[in-house]
Amino acid sequence: MTYQELNHQIFQKQSYLCVGLDTDIRKIPSHLLTESDPVFAFNKAIIDATADVAVAYKPNIAFYEAQGPRGWESLQKTIEYIPRTIFTIADAKRGDIGNTSDLYARTFFDPTAAGLTFDSVTVAPYMGHDSVLPFLNYPGKWVILLALTSNPGSADFQRQSVDDQELFELVIGQAQIWADPEKLMFVVGATQAKELKRIREIAPKNFLLVPGVGAQGGSLADVSRYGLTPDGGLLVNASRSILYASSGPDFAERARNKAEILQREMATYLAGI
Amino acid sequence: MTYQELNHQIFQKQSYLCVGLDTDIRKIPSHLLTESDPVFAFNKAIIDATADVAVAYKPNIAFYEAQGPRGWESLQKTIEYIPRTIFTIADAKRGDIGNTSDLYARTFFDPTAAGLTFDSVTVAPYMGHDSVLPFLNYPGKWVILLALTSNPGSADFQRQSVDDQELFELVIGQAQIWADPEKLMFVVGATQAKELKRIREIAPKNFLLVPGVGAQGGSLADVSRYGLTPDGGLLVNASRSILYASSGPDFAERARNKAEILQREMATYLAGI
């Protein structure tokens, strides 16, 4: 999916909501456990209920991997089921030396490898340029690089001073040498909303993927105020607050309500840019 | 496996060789492709041929993931086949916010999750303490934290100055607050052998996992000189130079020869400590 297509979708749906498909088999409604693939049955219902208010879906790969081969099958079915007009993110936080990163890129981008066709993958920057570049070789595919994450441990290294900037700022600066904003996003946690202003100065055009609104306590108003660009340029993720809004048979309806509340709030911020 | 058991194995076998099971279905001998699981058939032959000269096996997870669910089945069979007296490393370079890292830990450590029982997993440090700690909650299991990697991109961030040290030194220093050497190793690339002396000053007791000898050009003599401790404390990985020593029916025998050459050289360095 192109930068223009993604921004177009944002204005069309009046939404920059990304639904995190962090589907935990221990948390899904019990009536689904009799299905042949409970994780896919849950995801299918969530996708059906939210596809008109979400512009992206982001399965966190850990939730699927922890189920072994069966989890990868649920992931394959889920990705195949998502309408191709909606952006997909493999939240995998991968990164390795070049020939190995190339295999991770094939895994998530090339359907003839692992049967998956994501639009993008999240990548960890610690190993530097040759761990990131292999993901950029796929036309129409995106890298979403970890910059400033939402967890307490982000202070340990990301916030350390390197010369006159913090490490996450160096990461953002370097990465912009590797790729243009047409295929490079950054992860910035919603709990770090006050830093978004500084980040927009060094990355004025890149999409920012912002997790941590909802369960982790970030504010959608703050994130939108500092993160939105005239183009859109923002994806805000919510996972648990949508997926587990109800543990009963009404889970999909309740998930949709939660997603729609976020979408309506987003529409007001889009009206203000 | 305990620190003492691993060091004991090193002196018993006179080896600190880790065989990297980076099994690429495009590179294995063609006569194996008629097997029902060619990757497992290859790994089984390599393990049979090298188990008495290797102290660890390290499958790089990317090679299995790129095969989809089938790849995870090959990985399950491989791990089950490795004798439990030999240390196993899931080279996965994972790391995410706490509740997600916990799922990655379950994937590789808890056999009831994904059917895998590794002794250790490689972890990326960028997200800080709460992305690493969940892996440390499993008794007898190890974290192998990326510190200074063997690839050119290691210069981009790992070698940057933070106060009066380089980032990789800060990572090593911080991580030692999180865990003792009984369950914490560091990855240091063999191409960085001259840095091993500095690393041994700040991590005198931790095992170091050193990839990059062979195909990537690192010197076993240098690595051993600076990396070995009186206890042992070193695992040196070789992958391609062993696995693909021959593409014919003699691949396992040739792999063993390559492994044995490394083991014999290692025995001379162990005699010198």
Side-chain angles (χ1 to χ4, degrees):
Chain A
M1 183 175 296
T2 69
Y3 183 91
Q4 289 73 20
E5 284 166 345
L6 184 51
N7 274 321
H8 178 73
Q9 197 192 168
I10 287 172
F11 287 100
Q12 193 178 43
K13 290 184 174 173
Q14 289 289 296
S15 169
Y16 38 96
L17 177 63
C18 174
V19 175
L21 296 172
D22 302 354
T23 306
D24 188 335
I25 195 152
R26 298 167 300 185
K27 286 188 189 167
I28 66 179
S30 55
H31 74 278
L32 293 176
L33 297 177
T34 56
E35 298 275 343
S36 64
D37 185 339
V39 168
F40 174 61
F42 178 84
N43 287 351
K44 184 172 174 296
I46 293 287
I47 294 162
D48 286 340
T50 58
D52 66 326
V53 289
V55 297
Y57 289 104
K58 179 176 78 63
N60 188 308
I61 305 304
F63 288 80
Y64 300 86
E65 214 170 277
Q67 299 287 309
R70 175 168 58 112
W72 283 83
E73 284 164 15
S74 303
L75 183 63
Q76 286 174 332
K77 284 185 262 180
T78 299
I79 287 307
E80 201 172 328
Y81 190 74
I82 295 171
R84 295 310 297 156
T85 51
I86 302 184
F87 193 72
T88 52
I89 302 166
D91 193 0
K93 302 185 175 72
R94 298 298 194 259
D96 206 317
I97 61 171
N99 66 334
T100 310
S101 268
D102 187 50
L103 282 166
Y104 281 128
R106 287 183 59 220
T107 299
F108 296 109
F109 292 160
D110 178 351
T112 67
L116 300 172
T117 50
F118 280 93
D119 290 309
S120 65
V121 62
T122 57
V123 176
Y126 189 73
M127 294 180 69
H129 66 273
D130 52 327
S131 70
V132 177
L133 295 177
F135 293 97
L136 292 164
N137 287 337
Y138 288 75
K141 305 292 187 180
W142 296 65
V143 163
I144 309 182
L145 197 64
L146 298 186
L148 183 59
T149 58
S150 57
N151 62 317
S154 62
D156 292 332
F157 308 120
Q158 298 166 26
R159 306 295 311 251
Q160 293 293 320
S161 291
V162 179
D163 297 325
D164 55 351
Q165 58 191 340
E166 295 183 22
L167 178 61
F168 77 89
E169 295 173 294
L170 177 68
V171 167
I172 292 171
Q174 283 293 303
Q176 296 203 71
I177 301 168
W178 309 334
D180 68 32
E182 308 284 320
K183 56 190 300 161
L184 175 67
M185 303 188 186
F186 296 106
V187 174
V188 182
T191 51
Q192 315 270 8
K194 65 185 177 190
E195 309 302 339
L196 278 167
K197 201 174 168 187
R198 282 159 69 194
I199 290 170
R200 271 296 174 222
E201 285 165 21
I202 52 176
K205 218 188 153 197
N206 296 80
F207 263 91
L208 303 179
L209 170 63
V210 182
V213 162
Q216 291 179 57
S219 150
L220 178 57
D222 287 349
V223 165
S224 304
R225 180 177 172 192
Y226 299 116
L228 278 173
T229 69
D231 282 348
L234 196 61
L235 294 175
V236 171
N237 183 75
S239 300
R240 283 168 277 179
S241 63
I242 292 176
L243 300 190
Y244 308 121
S246 161
S247 58
D250 64 342
F251 73 97
E253 189 187 334
R254 294 282 296 280
R256 192 215 153 64
N257 291 349
K258 288 279 185 181
E260 202 175 336
I261 288 167
L262 287 168
Q263 179 270 318
R264 285 186 186 165
E265 189 178 342
M266 289 173 177
T268 68
Y269 302 132
L270 284 168
I273 61 173
Chain B
M1 185 176 294
T2 68
Y3 183 90
Q4 287 74 17
E5 284 167 345
L6 184 50
N7 274 321
H8 178 72
Q9 196 191 167
I10 288 172
F11 288 100
Q12 192 177 45
K13 290 184 173 172
Q14 288 289 296
S15 169
Y16 37 97
L17 177 64
C18 173
V19 174
L21 296 172
D22 302 355
T23 306
D24 188 334
I25 194 150
R26 300 167 298 186
K27 287 187 188 167
I28 66 178
S30 56
H31 74 277
L32 292 177
L33 298 176
T34 55
E35 299 274 343
S36 63
D37 185 339
V39 168
F40 174 61
F42 179 83
N43 287 351
K44 185 173 175 294
I46 294 287
I47 293 163
D48 286 341
T50 59
D52 66 325
V53 290
V55 297
Y57 288 104
K58 179 176 78 63
N60 188 308
I61 304 305
F63 288 79
Y64 300 86
E65 213 170 277
Q67 299 288 309
R70 176 167 59 112
W72 283 83
E73 284 164 14
S74 303
L75 183 62
Q76 287 174 331
K77 284 184 262 181
T78 300
I79 287 307
E80 201 172 328
Y81 190 74
I82 296 172
R84 295 309 297 156
T85 50
I86 302 184
F87 193 71
T88 52
I89 301 167
D91 193 1
K93 301 184 174 74
R94 299 297 195 259
D96 206 318
I97 60 171
N99 66 335
T100 311
S101 268
D102 187 50
L103 282 166
Y104 281 128
R106 287 184 59 220
T107 299
F108 295 110
F109 292 159
D110 178 351
T112 67
L116 300 171
T117 49
F118 280 93
D119 290 308
S120 65
V121 60
T122 58
V123 176
Y126 189 73
M127 294 180 71
H129 66 272
D130 52 326
S131 70
V132 178
L133 295 177
F135 292 96
L136 292 164
N137 288 336
Y138 288 76
K141 305 292 188 180
W142 296 66
V143 162
I144 308 182
L145 196 65
L146 298 185
L148 183 58
T149 57
S150 57
N151 62 318
S154 62
D156 292 332
F157 308 120
Q158 299 166 24
R159 307 294 312 250
Q160 293 293 320
S161 291
V162 179
D163 297 324
D164 55 350
Q165 57 190 342
E166 295 184 21
L167 178 61
F168 77 89
E169 295 172 296
L170 178 67
V171 167
I172 292 171
Q174 283 293 304
Q176 296 203 70
I177 301 168
W178 309 335
D180 68 33
E182 308 284 320
K183 56 190 302 164
L184 175 67
M185 303 189 187
F186 297 106
V187 174
V188 181
T191 52
Q192 315 268 9
K194 65 183 175 189
E195 308 302 339
L196 278 169
K197 202 175 166 187
R198 282 160 69 196
I199 289 170
R200 273 293 175 223
E201 285 166 19
I202 52 175
K205 216 186 154 199
N206 297 80
F207 263 91
L208 303 179
L209 170 64
V210 183
V213 163
Q216 291 180 58
S219 149
L220 178 57
D222 288 349
V223 164
S224 304
R225 179 178 173 191
Y226 298 117
L228 278 173
T229 69
D231 282 348
L234 196 61
L235 294 175
V236 172
N237 184 74
S239 301
R240 284 168 276 178
S241 62
I242 291 176
L243 300 190
Y244 309 121
S246 161
S247 59
D250 63 342
F251 73 96
E253 188 187 334
R254 293 283 296 280
R256 190 213 154 65
N257 291 348
K258 287 279 185 182
E260 201 175 336
I261 289 167
L262 287 168
Q263 179 269 317
R264 285 185 186 165
E265 189 178 341
M266 289 172 177
T268 68
Y269 302 132
L270 284 169
I273 60 175

